[in-house]
Amino acid sequence: MFKTLYEWFWWDRIWLPVNLTWADLEDREGWVYAKASHLYVTVPYALTFLLIRYIFERWIATPLAASAGIRQGALLKAADNPILEHYYTTQCRNPPQVDIDGLSKKSSLSVRQVERWFRRRRIQDRPGVLKKFREASWRFVFYLSAFIGGIVALYDKTWFYDTQEVWRDFPKQSMLESQYWYYILEMSFYGSLLFSVAFDVKRKDFKEQIIHHLATLVLLSFSWCVNYIRIGTLVMLVHDASDIFLESAKLFNYAKWENTCKTLFVLFAMVFMVTRLIIFPFWLIHCTWVYPVQHYPAFFGYYFFNVMLVVLLCLHIFWAYLILCMIRKFMFGTVMTYVAREVTLSDWKDTPGKQGRQSGKDHVEV
């Protein structure tokens, strides 16, 4: 039965165009093709990434944070209370008033003491600024390195400038060594993110991030197996471009360099919109949707790959909405703060009995 399922899963007609078989992708006469067995190496590499990350965060990111004035603050811990702790870990972190009243009776504490305990317990679970800084530092270093490596690997390739070249002579396109390492390292990194998801900082888009990591790994694995490597490298490069500015904006935010942070975030938003909402759908998805059927009839793998790209595009649209909301918030908030201060000063000037005192202070800046 297992053999039957295995043969059905790797059936040529599912993953390859008509008149092509896996035998056509066997190494011969100096031509080297990607194989599914190569992907096993990403597991130990992902674990290696976790080790490198630990060393980086401990010996590089932590001293860097200290030089920026970021240190692990001492938090006031919630007092040991088995009853409240059991409820907190098994049922709810923010109990309703009815449960608070019941817990008050069980623990022999007042309602106010129970509410204070849960507040302190939630604060205790929040990741500190130092942890966020170290995590953002690691991601910034990887995305920057990956983007530079991708440019080096692709700048002299014809398909980097003309997406129609992606499908020239497909699938008989020999894999290059630069493509091999670009793929393996990117997949290992995303694998390490999945391994560390339980320990990393959990944000509001936690579920979307998990979907994104899984969709990325599935896309990369599929494109590797069916030799969609050229388009795969372009997709990776487009995704890494904006993440550099996002992680750097986080770093300056944690260091409280507010103006630098806002500038980098605006740059991130601009790069994100261009790469993920313009280049990604109108160049890359167009490349995978329109050009392949000019060379061979559509097949299951063709639809599968494009559906996964659309899933990523939907996530991009969701994140673009959040990004625009954040930009609107800090830009509109800055304007409103300025207007409020102007109105307050104007009201103060117009208050009877204060005009005389204000007349000598008109030079005060708002």
Side-chain angles (χ1 to χ4, degrees):
M1 179 179 178
F2 178 78
K3 183 179 180 181
T4 302
L5 290 175
Y6 179 84
E7 292 176 350
W8 178 85
F9 181 82
W10 291 109
W11 186 32
D12 302 338
R13 295 287 64 78
I14 294 179
W15 304 113
L16 297 176
V18 65
N19 297 328
L20 286 173
T21 66
W22 292 114
D24 295 318
L25 299 181
E26 293 291 334
D27 296 348
R28 61 170 63 89
E29 299 177 358
W31 290 76
V32 179
Y33 298 100
K35 300 176 180 60
S37 58
H38 293 162
L39 298 179
Y40 292 130
V41 76
T42 60
V43 176
Y45 280 12
L47 297 176
T48 303
F49 264 119
L50 292 177
L51 177 61
I52 296 173
R53 174 181 175 178
Y54 173 79
I55 296 172
F56 174 86
E57 291 185 354
R58 183 177 180 87
W59 299 107
I60 299 178
T62 300
L64 184 62
S67 66
I70 301 172
R71 290 177 174 80
Q72 187 66 51
L75 296 177
L76 184 62
K77 293 186 178 181
D80 292 336
N81 191 307
I83 296 174
L84 300 183
E85 183 68 26
H86 180 265
Y87 181 94
Y88 180 88
T89 55
T90 60
Q91 297 190 43
C92 181
R93 292 161 51 95
N94 196 3
Q97 190 60 45
V98 176
D99 289 355
I100 290 177
D101 294 337
L103 291 169
S104 174
K105 295 177 182 179
K106 289 182 180 180
S107 60
S108 300
L109 298 174
S110 66
V111 171
R112 188 175 182 82
Q113 288 175 319
V114 172
E115 291 174 341
R116 185 184 300 116
W117 188 94
F118 275 95
R119 184 166 56 252
R120 289 181 177 176
R121 186 65 180 83
R122 288 193 297 270
I123 294 174
Q124 185 178 323
D125 275 356
R126 290 177 187 171
V129 177
L130 179 59
K131 180 178 181 180
K132 293 179 180 179
F133 184 90
R134 291 186 300 198
E135 181 178 314
S137 299
W138 166 246
R139 296 193 183 198
F140 169 77
V141 169
F142 176 81
Y143 290 134
L144 179 61
S145 303
F147 182 75
I148 294 174
I151 292 293
V152 171
L154 293 172
Y155 82 96
D156 60 343
K157 306 300 186 295
T158 56
W159 61 88
F160 183 64
Y161 306 96
D162 182 4
T163 53
Q164 293 194 47
E165 292 294 321
V166 166
W167 306 107
R168 184 178 296 276
D169 300 325
F170 177 85
K172 296 182 178 181
Q173 300 169 342
S174 184
M175 180 179 61
L176 305 175
E177 185 176 1
S178 58
Q179 294 173 326
Y180 173 86
W181 285 111
Y182 192 22
Y183 252 84
I184 294 299
L185 293 178
E186 283 272 358
M187 293 187 66
S188 300
F189 176 75
Y190 280 105
S192 71
L193 292 183
L194 285 179
F195 289 156
S196 64
V197 70
F199 311 102
D200 288 342
V201 177
K202 291 182 174 61
R203 296 180 172 84
K204 293 181 180 179
D205 61 345
F206 173 75
K207 293 181 180 179
E208 289 79 10
Q209 286 283 0
I210 295 298
I211 295 173
H212 174 267
H213 296 339
L214 289 174
T216 301
L217 285 172
V218 170
L219 265 173
L220 293 179
S221 300
F222 171 79
S223 62
W224 177 269
C225 293
V226 298
N227 212 29
Y228 278 17
I229 293 179
R230 290 184 178 181
I231 188 63
T233 55
L234 296 177
V235 171
M236 290 189 292
L237 188 69
V238 163
H239 279 72
D240 289 338
S242 60
D243 289 333
I244 299 170
F245 294 98
L246 175 61
E247 300 304 330
S248 59
K250 290 179 184 178
L251 293 176
F252 284 102
N253 178 50
Y254 301 144
K256 298 184 179 179
W257 290 31
E258 186 174 343
N259 292 332
T260 305
C261 169
K262 288 183 178 180
T263 301
L264 286 170
F265 190 81
V266 171
L267 288 174
F268 157 71
M270 294 170 60
V271 175
F272 185 96
M273 301 301 172
V274 171
T275 56
R276 303 204 188 189
L277 296 186
I278 297 178
I279 295 177
F280 183 70
F282 297 109
W283 267 266
L284 301 188
I285 293 183
H286 178 268
C287 170
T288 61
W289 196 271
V290 176
Y291 298 150
V293 292
Q294 297 176 1
H295 298 270
Y296 49 78
F299 61 105
F300 172 80
Y302 162 84
Y303 293 113
F304 175 80
F305 188 71
N306 281 287
V307 167
M308 295 304 295
L309 290 178
V310 171
V311 169
L312 285 183
L313 179 60
C314 291
L315 290 173
H316 297 167
I317 295 172
F318 169 75
W319 282 321
Y321 169 76
L322 296 182
I323 291 167
L324 292 175
C325 288
M326 291 183 67
I327 292 177
R328 178 179 177 273
K329 182 178 180 181
F330 76 68
M331 292 186 68
F332 184 72
T334 301
V335 173
M336 287 304 296
T337 300
Y338 178 80
V339 171
R341 293 173 67 185
E342 285 281 6
V343 170
T344 301
L345 182 58
S346 177
D347 291 344
W348 188 79
K349 287 180 180 180
D350 294 338
T351 302
K354 292 184 179 177
Q355 289 88 343
R357 282 178 290 170
Q358 178 61 27
S359 59
K361 299 180 180 179
D362 290 339
H363 66 279
V364 177
E365 294 183 2
V366 178

